[in-house]
Amino acid sequence: MPVDATKPYVPASTEAPRMPGRPRHRLPPLACDAHCHVFGPYDRFPLQHPSSYAAPDAPVGRYLHMLDTLGAQRGVLVQPAPYGTEAAALLDALAAGGERLRGIAVADPDISDAQLQNLYDGGVRGLRFVEARDPAGRLFPGSVGFDQVAALAPRMRQFGLHAQLWAPSEAYLRHLPALARLQVPLVIDHLGSLASARGPGDAAFALLRGLLADGLVWIKLTVCRVGGAPGYEDARRLHDAFVAANADQVLWGSDWPFVRMGQAAPYADALVDLEYEWLGDDTLRRKVWVDNPARLYGFR
């Protein structure tokens, strides 16, 4: 029977996420995994929109165990599209994690000031906007597009919220010049979704690197969404170029539970070890894992 897209629903089946072992390298104290998602428990937090990927069995308890295994004392949870603007699962997880967690919610311009205050009080520090579309040009169900950022920007400034952006790299060329003038911090997901094979002459890469160097954007170093396993060497040029452009505004995230990746999903401990080696020294490691997320997300 087809899913009624107008009603919350419990997935008929779920997919167990890949759980990490202990990394070979120890993360610095107060290290933060700045990009993960929680899903469920679905009997309490049903999905609001049909999911285009297998629904993960990834409730907050499993997520916190994952963080503990990595040795990450802090984490940032990002609202996944199938929950739309319903933040109950996110807020429940943030409450369970207390001061070690912050969140990124999804909202459209109809949200009230009271609701924005409730999100902030619950640990939310940003709103996510997505410009990924299907072949017919429709946004993924549950997403709020880049065209809504300007309408929300004045209240995002009022409530101390930043904009987290995810899109194919070409969409940044169209939208970022205007978004960068809104005086709202902009956080770019997944290395800007760039294709490393395009080389340093890629216009989207040049734009992102320039905005980062000028302090107008932050970039998440989630290499598993750009490079190829197991070594992700094809993502290293992008990673290193962004770190060199502005090491004070880059963040690291595992992207657990690795939706859409199936058997290609990495182990988060391997991603920690890779980042540890790529960063190369303790000063950079502390910036990327501790100081930068503390400043952006307001960890105490």
Side-chain angles (χ1 to χ4, degrees), residues 194-211:
L194 294 163
S196 184
R198 294 182 184 176
D202 179 24
F205 168 67
L207 173 67
L208 288 168
R209 183 178 57 181
L211 290 172

Side-chain angles (χ1 to χ4, degrees), residues 207-219 241-243 245-247 249-250:
L207 173 67
L208 288 168
R209 183 178 57 181
L211 290 172
L212 176 64
D214 291 340
L216 296 176
V217 301
W218 299 65
I219 290 184
F242 288 141
V243 172
N246 188 348
Q249 290 194 194
V250 289

Side-chain angles (χ1 to χ4, degrees), residues 6-7 27 53 113 145 149 177 181 187 196 214 226 281 286 298:
T6 67
K7 296 180 180 179
L27 285 168
Y53 46 79
D113 284 357
V149 181
R181 294 193 290 269
V187 179
S196 184
D214 291 340
V226 173
D281 67 69
R286 180 165 182 84

